[in-house]
Amino acid sequence: MRSVKGKEWYQADEVAQEYDSKRFSKGGRLIDRREKEAVLAALGPVEDKNILEIACGTGRFTVMLAQEGANVVGLDISRAMMVQGREKARSAGVADRIEFLRGDAARLPFPDNHFDAVFAMRFFHLADTPAKFLAEMARVSKEQVFFDTFNDKSFRVTYNWLLPMGSRLYSNDGVNRLLADAGLALADAKHDFVIPFGFYRKIPNGIAQPFRSLDLAVGGTPLGDDFASVSYWNARVTTDTDESSRAATRASDAE
Ligand SMILES: C[S@@+](CC[C@H](N)C(=O)[O-])C[C@H]1O[C@@H](n2cnc3c(N)ncnc32)[C@H](O)[C@@H]1O
């Protein structure tokens, strides 16, 4: 079995230092914007909420949520990524609303039902044991779990094998099974980016918007959801999670 792909990769200082500029400059700016909108739309209003961000990385969302008045814990396995996050929080003047914590998403150091909401962005494509991660997120959340996935029916499939780490790609059915096993009920799912991220990252910001408009137009057709490369999953914690479903989760991860 492959190990968790991003666990080692993001430890390197140069990877962490270049993380934002490689992905979210040029046409990638609109990806950053869209992802932030997705997080705020799902979690908001966040003022005075206690929120845990799993795999917070360079703190793109951590800082945004603190600016909106939330108390945020950002957990990540990479010290180097969180160095960037701490710097961002200081420059934005919200360091006092954020705790950056080094830790493994597979074993969260919090009691059950500790946060109002728990979310992870750009994390599940790195995970070889997603059921374990999702079960932990559900365990420590009182109300809500939110995350994104990269999809297996999208154009991303055509270049996924070229990427240094590849990505785990998900089907809708696969995510629905993961949610059920973690004791989560799907409240809302949004599917976006028929044109995959890699394309936007390569083109100048000035010409990205017309492609995005085309992307949204195709995404709005009946076939749009089927070809979307990204999905945003907004789920509620249910009370009927029993030990047997958690045991099933552990068993499926062990396979
Ligand atoms: C693609 S980056 C995403 C960062 C941030 N969520 C964002 O969207 O900008 C993936 C992050 O997952 C973190 N990561 C990977 N495996 C992890 C684990 N087992 N526990 C906690 N963080 C992990 C990496 O260190 C990295 O910061």
Side-chain angles (χ1 to χ4, degrees):
M1 191 199 281
R2 291 166 302 168
S3 63
V4 178
K5 290 171 256 195
K7 224 168 160 174
E8 291 83 28
W9 177 265
Y10 291 100
Q11 305 285 341
D13 287 339
E14 10 3 313
V15 170
Q17 282 155 8
E18 292 176 347
Y19 178 81
D20 283 14
S21 61
K22 273 199 164 169
R23 289 160 187 78
F24 311 118
S25 57
K26 298 202 225 172
R29 278 189 216 179
L30 60 77
I31 302 172
D32 182 52
R33 206 160 54 232
R34 172 66 181 99
E35 292 184 334
K36 285 177 173 159
E37 277 166 18
V39 170
L40 265 188
L43 304 188
V46 296
E47 193 165 359
D48 293 328
K49 274 195 189 170
N50 294 319
I51 298 179
L52 171 64
E53 180 178 4
I54 300 293
C56 64
T58 59
R60 290 190 300 137
F61 308 104
T62 338
V63 169
M64 172 192 74
L65 292 172
Q67 286 172 318
E68 295 286 321
N71 302 307
V72 197
V73 176
L75 178 133
D76 201 286
I77 201 124
S78 160
R79 208 183 298 280
M81 292 290 274
M82 285 189 298
V83 166
Q84 304 298 315
R86 286 199 180 93
E87 183 49 44
K88 208 175 273 167
R90 262 194 303 274
S91 323
V94 291
D96 58 334
R97 301 198 79 97
I98 299 176
E99 184 187 354
F100 285 103
L101 194 67
R102 189 162 190 232
D104 189 338
R107 285 175 297 278
L108 297 177
F110 309 106
D112 296 359
N113 309 319
H114 193 64
F115 295 95
D116 297 314
V118 179
F119 78 103
M121 292 292 284
R122 293 182 178 239
F123 174 61
F124 276 87
H125 67 291
L126 301 171
D128 275 327
T129 55
K132 186 187 286 172
F133 292 120
L134 201 57
E136 272 296 84
M137 291 170 72
R139 180 182 69 76
V140 302
S141 179
K142 274 201 276 277
E143 291 167 18
Q144 186 179 11
V145 170
F146 178 72
F147 60 99
D148 63 349
T149 54
F150 294 157
N151 299 333
D152 67 352
K153 291 214 186 74
S154 61
F155 292 118
R156 197 182 168 94
V157 174
T158 58
Y159 70 88
N160 198 37
W161 60 275
L162 280 170
L163 302 176
M165 288 173 289
S167 294
R168 186 183 189 103
L169 303 179
Y170 292 77
S171 67
N172 284 354
D173 286 351
V175 173
N176 281 315
R177 271 196 304 276
L178 284 169
L179 290 171
D181 288 349
L184 293 167
L186 184 62
D188 180 45
K190 298 247 184 313
H191 311 282
D192 202 346
F193 289 104
V194 174
I195 301 176
F197 288 168
F199 176 79
Y200 288 105
R201 281 170 56 171
K202 296 275 182 297
I203 60 172
N205 190 36
I207 61 165
Q209 194 49 53
F211 285 102
R212 181 65 179 142
S213 301
L214 177 69
D215 191 344
L216 288 169
V218 177
T221 66
L223 279 179
D225 283 359
D226 293 336
F227 288 102
S229 60
V230 180
S231 294
Y232 302 105
W233 305 95
N234 187 1
R236 302 282 150 191
V237 177
T238 61
T239 47
D240 58 3
T241 316
D242 57 20
E243 185 45 35
S244 62
S245 79
R246 288 185 195 258
T249 298
R250 286 194 292 273
S252 75
D253 269 352
E255 279 166 12

